[in-house]
Amino acid sequence: MPTAFDPTRVPHLNGLFAPVTDEVDAVDLTVVGELPEALDGVYLRNGPNPRFTPVGSYLYPLDGDGMVHGVWLSGGRARYRNRFVRTEAMRAEERAGRALWGGLESLILPDASEVGEDLAADTFKPLPDINVVRHAGRLLALAESDCPYRLAPGLDTLGRETFDGRLPAGITAHPKTDPVTGELAAFCYALEPPYLTWSLIGPDGTVRRGPTPVAGVDEPRMIHDMALTARYLVLVLAPAFFTLDEALRGGSFLHWRPERGTRLALIPRDGGPVRWAEDEAFWLWHTVNAYERPGDGHVVLDYVQWPELSLGARHERRSAPGAAHGLTRAVVDPVTGTVRRTRLDDARVELPRIDDRVLSRPHDRLAVAAGSGRARDLLPGEYDALRFYEVGGPEIAAVSWDAGDLAVGEPVFAPEPGTRDSARGWWLTFATDRTDGSSRLLVLSAADPGSGPVAEVRVPVRVPLGLHGSWLPTEE
């Protein structure tokens, strides 16, 4: 029998994070302000949303079924739809009417009589609940190093995506697309050798380089995000090690070992030898961007730094010893393997984004979800402000918009069609009111984001706080 589990005691299953079970379609949504006529497309966002009450354990932000929320914008009007990402495991649970797989920490797995012959009883449940992207015409819900699930334009699940069988183990939740070549770069970590591989997918969806082991990685580590330059995949290998043997004995499945330090891998996209750099221990959930600095070829990586990895309701432990939290820039010398890190801002921030059209090249603007600094005990993954940076000049400038009673998420950039300037466009994010649970899509002008939204689209249902998303302009 499943281990007794009380979800009412898990903060990330309640309040603003509480899952929703209804799949809703709504048209002609109420708009406060005026939607820019140039916004024509769909804003999508994925996030953990258990279909049934979890059993055994629940660990934010790794556990939970995927649910994609979408707001379609065209001609100043808006409509909304949400759908579960229906994996084979979720369909088995729907037939049973309850959760069959436990949370990651519980290691509860169903037997063959519960899930049928089509599902192996000794496998973990697929969790494509982290991100949603479009590549080569395929809309993909992405998991933490597992096969993505392909979605129809209306968000119904079409099935697992293995890229014609070339990537059977899957990819990361944070692949990166080179806007110049159209090539998508991805990595995948595993609990068995090879522990870390990387791949390249062409703009037509064809796998150009299949899973390629990263030499020098001989233990399973957790790596959540990556960055991309014109020449390199950039991976940060923090000392977060999987320990399944301990988990099977009742211990933790993931250990932080700061004495091992953090390694940075520059993986040439042409298949050349990996270039390594060593540093003291730090953790990152998310990168901003990376690029090669003109003149000396050093790799510049902007990211949000944490002193250590910790998970669950208190995973943002900014007071831990070691590297300081905040927006950080690392400069890596590919020849000497040295790293120089500089903290750019010490505000509580996460979920950074840029204009994706400059990914892998120098960026001058970025946006993050942030804490306002007001007295409020925010949970990890909960933010009450948006913060915007200009980083292209000799001095870094920052401006914030305080969201008041609204909890906001990751800001996603929607460029103004026909332009190349990152100041010409809009930042989009879902927000939910703490006082009444109502949700809305916020639209902020990139030219003056500190002034707050130019439009709000009222969503007729609560949208739980989630993770990552995309703006997908209407394809001609």
Side-chain angles (χ1 to χ4, degrees):
M1 292 294 293
T3 303
F5 180 67
D6 183 4
T8 65
R9 301 181 63 182
V10 180
H12 286 102
L13 289 174
N14 295 279
L16 298 172
F17 293 88
V20 296
T21 56
D22 291 336
E23 294 177 312
V24 176
D25 292 87
V27 298
D28 291 327
L29 304 183
T30 298
V31 177
V32 178
E34 186 173 351
L35 280 173
E37 287 285 335
L39 277 176
D40 196 302
V42 58
Y43 167 71
L44 300 176
R45 198 220 65 196
N46 202 348
N49 192 101
R51 176 68 177 84
F52 296 99
T53 301
V55 295
S57 65
Y58 187 83
L59 188 63
Y60 177 87
L62 301 181
D63 274 321
D65 297 304
M67 176 177 276
V68 178
H69 302 261
V71 176
W72 283 257
L73 304 175
S74 184
R77 301 174 69 182
R79 62 184 178 90
Y80 167 82
R81 168 178 281 192
N82 68 316
R83 290 293 185 271
F84 279 105
V85 184
R86 281 192 162 77
T87 65
E88 298 86 348
M90 181 189 288
R91 294 183 189 278
E93 291 182 327
E94 288 181 325
R95 289 192 294 270
R98 60 182 177 88
L100 299 174
W101 280 261
L104 292 172
E105 289 184 300
S106 73
L107 299 181
I108 295 173
L109 301 173
D111 60 42
S113 65
E114 294 178 296
V115 299
E117 296 299 327
D118 292 337
L119 286 177
D122 59 349
T123 59
F124 290 102
K125 184 181 182 182
L127 300 172
D129 63 349
I130 295 176
N131 201 358
V132 56
V133 302
R134 184 171 65 192
H135 182 71
R138 301 171 181 173
L139 185 59
L140 303 174
L142 298 169
E144 178 80 8
S145 279
D146 200 351
C147 284
Y149 275 73
R150 189 169 177 179
L151 307 179
L155 305 184
D156 291 323
T157 303
L158 300 177
R160 289 164 63 93
E161 178 61 69
T162 64
F163 300 93
D164 298 320
R166 294 289 308 281
L167 299 176
I171 61 174
T172 173
H174 288 287
K176 296 294 188 288
T177 300
D178 186 325
V180 176
T181 67
E183 194 170 57
L184 183 140
F187 72 92
C188 185
Y189 63 78
L191 301 178
E192 298 177 347
Y195 295 110
L196 182 61
T197 58
W198 63 280
S199 305
L200 296 175
I201 303 170
D204 61 352
T206 300
V207 176
R208 291 180 171 177
R209 175 181 285 272
T212 302
V214 178
V217 180
D218 53 9
E219 296 174 89
R221 302 193 192 207
M222 180 177 173
I223 310 168
H224 184 69
D225 200 355
M226 61 168 283
L228 187 68
T229 76
R231 294 179 60 193
Y232 303 108
L233 283 76
V234 182
L235 294 179
V236 177
L237 282 69
F241 294 91
F242 289 103
T243 52
L244 280 187
D245 288 345
E246 290 191 28
L248 292 172
R249 296 193 298 267
S252 175
F253 75 100
L254 193 61
H255 277 267
W256 179 255
R257 295 172 177 165
E259 71 279 2
R260 299 285 297 274
T262 289
R263 307 175 72 197
L264 289 83
L266 305 181
I267 304 172
R269 292 166 61 174
D270 64 6
V274 177
R275 303 184 182 191
W276 290 98
E278 309 283 341
D279 204 351
E280 69 176 10
F282 67 89
W283 170 258
L284 68 82
W285 282 107
H286 300 112
T287 65
V288 177
N289 186 37
Y291 57 89
E292 292 146 44
R293 192 164 65 186
D296 59 15
H298 290 184
V299 172
V300 178
L301 170 67
D302 286 357
Y303 65 98
V304 177
Q305 180 171 276
W306 294 95
E308 65 178 18
L309 168 67
S310 52
L311 297 162
R314 292 278 70 116
H315 83 251
E316 294 183 1
R317 293 177 57 187
R318 299 204 294 163
S319 60
H325 166 73
L327 183 65
T328 303
R329 173 166 293 173
V331 179
V332 183
D333 185 335
V335 176
T336 65
T338 56
V339 184
R340 180 171 54 84
R341 286 182 288 129
T342 304
R343 188 163 57 162
L344 305 181
D345 190 19
D346 62 0
R348 177 186 181 266
V349 301
E350 251 302 349
L351 305 174
R353 293 296 294 265
I354 64 169
D355 178 350
D356 288 341
R357 298 174 302 174
V358 298
L359 198 79
S360 76
R361 273 67 177 178
H363 57 280
D364 57 8
R365 296 170 181 264
L366 68 101
V368 294
S372 67
R374 288 181 279 112
R376 176 179 282 154
D377 188 20
L378 299 176
L379 287 169
E382 181 183 1
Y383 301 92
D384 62 354
L386 297 173
R387 192 161 173 83
F388 306 88
Y389 298 88
E390 295 185 11
V391 297
E395 300 292 332
I396 294 174
V399 62
S400 293
W401 175 67
D402 189 325
D405 287 326
L406 297 179
V408 296
E410 173 195 64
V412 172
F413 186 71
E416 181 180 339
T419 69
R420 301 300 304 173
D421 185 351
S422 295
R424 298 185 64 178
W426 301 271
W427 292 100
L428 311 178
T429 188
F430 280 127
T432 297
D433 193 318
R434 292 180 178 83
T435 65
D436 61 11
S438 63
S439 296
R440 70 284 323 266
L441 174 68
L442 305 181
V443 180
L444 294 86
S445 169
D448 185 20
S451 295
V454 298
E456 297 184 9
V457 178
R458 298 297 170 87
V459 180
V461 295
R462 180 176 59 82
V463 178
L465 294 186
L467 295 174
H468 304 288
S470 297
W471 167 252
L472 307 179
T474 299
E475 293 182 314
E476 298 296 334

